């Protein structure tokens, strides 16, 4: 690495950019443009290599990460990688940033942004399904937009991870306990942050509840069964990306239980128009596959706060 290219570690990014900062940066970004999502996925034996390029304004960048679902059992992060931030003015490399940190921050921030429009106004209960990095991040994001939350149910296939998230929640003054997926899914806000290949969520959620589902990002993966999709109002981060990557929705459409014509909108619609009132109290779902514009927005924010020239 050239000494002339600044590098921002995960710790440095988090010291300069809060979850609330990230949510507001994404709100501004989605208010200005409808992103053209791009992602390349190359599989290897234990996981996937992902590349996510984006260009916006005076910035260009690409995130290169590996996603290995079994890594936490080996004591390693599931997501590791690097972000290269370029100037779109003269083409130089502005900065290198920890890629795993960007994913850990921008994914829950996008869910938090959606929740700000779709979640109940003053919920007290939240269920977190999947207690890894994204589980921790989603609890932080939901509390940023719904500070009324006071009770947490954590469900995870790893009892150690579940207990760690419960301990973290209690240290923040929340009531928290380990529970089943069914118990977590009965909360007012539910966050599904798993590496599940097959549906793990129930077919019905409580009326008026909000679900953020972020774990399935390939067509053959799903956290939600078709019945849940069909019985809910659904928003996505970007329709173009969801149509090719959101396995939950693709499979629901393939079974005939749901159709893309029933999609209520995306993050641009929410930011620019808000969420229409739901007369029948149906659950609201935000399905996210992750967008490269989110990484670029966060990388630019962190670089700017670090005093790195545009």
């Amino acid at each position: 690495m050239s000494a002339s290219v600044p590098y921002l570690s995960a710790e440095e990014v988090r010291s300069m950019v809060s979850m609330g900062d990230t949510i507001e940066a994404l709100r501004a970004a989605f208010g200005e443009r409808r992103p053209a999502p791009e992602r390349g996925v190359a599989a290897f034996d234990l996981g996937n290599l992902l590349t996510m390029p984006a260009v916006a304004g005076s910035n260009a960048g690409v995130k290169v990460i590996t996603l290995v679902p079994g890594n936490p059992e080996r004591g390693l992060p599931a997501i590791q990688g690097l972000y290269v931030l370029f100037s779109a003015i003269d083409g130089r490399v502005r900065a290198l940033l920890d890629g795993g940190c960007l994913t850990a921050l921008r994914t829950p921030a996008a869910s938090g942004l959606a929740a700000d429009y779709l979640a109940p106004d003053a919920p007290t209960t939240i269920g977190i399904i999947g207690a890894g990095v994204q589980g921790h991040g989603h609890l932080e994001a939901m509390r940023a937009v719904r500070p009324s939350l006071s009770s947490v149910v954590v469900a995870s296939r790893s009892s150690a991870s579940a207990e760690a998230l419960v301990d973290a929640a209690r240290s923040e003054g929340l009531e928290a306990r380990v529970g089943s997926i069914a118990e977590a899914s009965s909360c007012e806000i539910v966050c599904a942050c798993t590496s599940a290949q097959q549906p793990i969520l129930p077919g019905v959620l409580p009326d008026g509840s909000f679900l953020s589902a972020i774990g399935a990002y390939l067509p053959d993966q799903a956290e939600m069964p078709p019945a849940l999709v069909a019985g809910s109002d659904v928003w996505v981060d970007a329709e173009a990306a969801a149509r090719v990557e959101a396995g939950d929705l693709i499979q629901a459409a393939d079974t005939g239980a749901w159709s893309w014509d029933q999609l209520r909108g995306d993050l641009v619609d929410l930011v620019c128009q808000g969420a229409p009132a739901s007369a029948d109290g149906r659950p609201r779902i935000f399905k996210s596959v992750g967008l490269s514009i989110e990484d670029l927005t966060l990388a630019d924010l962190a670089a700017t706060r670090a005093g790195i020239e545009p």
Side-chain angles (χ1 to χ4, degrees):
M1 183 188 307
S2 170
S4 63
V5 178
Y7 174 74
L8 299 180
S9 68
E11 293 76 14
E12 289 171 317
V13 172
R14 283 310 311 254
S15 70
M16 293 182 290
V17 183
S18 70
M19 182 64 73
D21 294 335
T22 308
I23 292 171
E24 292 311 313
L26 294 186
R27 196 191 309 271
F30 284 105
E32 293 176 356
R33 65 182 64 84
R34 189 172 298 276
E38 294 184 38
R39 170 154 57 205
V41 181
F44 54 94
D45 286 347
L46 299 178
N48 292 294
L49 172 70
L50 281 67
T51 57
M52 301 181 67
V55 177
S58 61
N59 292 292
V62 60
K63 184 172 73 174
V64 183
I65 59 171
T66 54
L67 197 161
V68 181
N71 264 3
E73 299 171 6
R74 305 179 183 92
L76 296 171
I79 295 175
Q80 302 174 85
L82 186 68
Y83 196 90
V84 186
L85 177 64
F86 295 90
S87 166
I89 299 171
D90 56 19
R92 78 186 186 284
V93 178
R94 280 185 69 193
L96 303 176
L97 301 91
D98 181 272
C101 172
L102 297 190
T103 303
L105 190 52
R106 61 79 157 160
T107 302
S111 293
L113 177 60
D116 203 22
Y117 297 95
L118 300 175
D121 287 337
T124 59
T125 60
I126 180 170
I128 305 290
I129 303 171
V133 170
Q134 287 297 328
H136 285 259
H138 274 73
L139 179 57
E140 181 183 2
M142 296 303 150
R143 293 189 68 206
V145 298
R146 292 295 186 269
S148 58
L149 289 168
S150 60
S151 177
V152 187
V153 179
V154 179
S156 174
R157 64 181 182 181
S158 166
S159 59
S161 295
E163 290 290 356
L165 181 49
V166 164
D167 289 344
R170 288 173 177 167
S171 73
E172 295 291 328
L174 302 175
E175 295 181 5
R177 65 181 178 87
V178 176
S180 66
I181 290 177
E183 291 171 315
S185 299
S186 69
C187 295
E188 295 160 281
I189 291 179
V190 182
C191 300
C193 313
T194 77
S195 58
Q197 303 295 301
Q198 300 296 325
I200 57 169
L201 291 165
V204 178
L205 292 179
D207 287 348
S209 61
F210 169 75
L211 164 66
S212 177
I214 63 102
Y217 66 97
L218 293 174
D220 61 351
Q221 298 175 345
E223 293 177 299
M224 300 182 285
L228 176 56
V229 177
S232 307
D233 289 342
V234 180
W235 279 261
V236 295
D237 42 9
E239 182 176 352
R243 281 181 174 268
V244 297
E245 298 174 2
D248 316 77
L249 305 187
I250 292 168
Q251 293 171 38
D254 287 346
T255 64
W258 179 83
S259 77
W260 289 100
D261 291 340
Q262 294 173 267
L263 183 67
R264 299 300 301 272
D266 60 19
L267 282 176
V268 173
D269 295 320
L270 288 174
V271 171
C272 295
Q273 303 169 19
S278 178
D280 59 6
R282 283 159 59 95
R284 291 176 165 186
I285 291 173
F286 173 64
K287 172 59 191 174
S288 171
V289 295
L291 302 173
S292 58
I293 191 64
E294 298 163 358
D295 298 300
L296 182 63
T297 298
L298 178 53
D300 174 52
L301 176 61
T304 299
R305 291 202 170 170
I308 299 171
E309 292 287 334

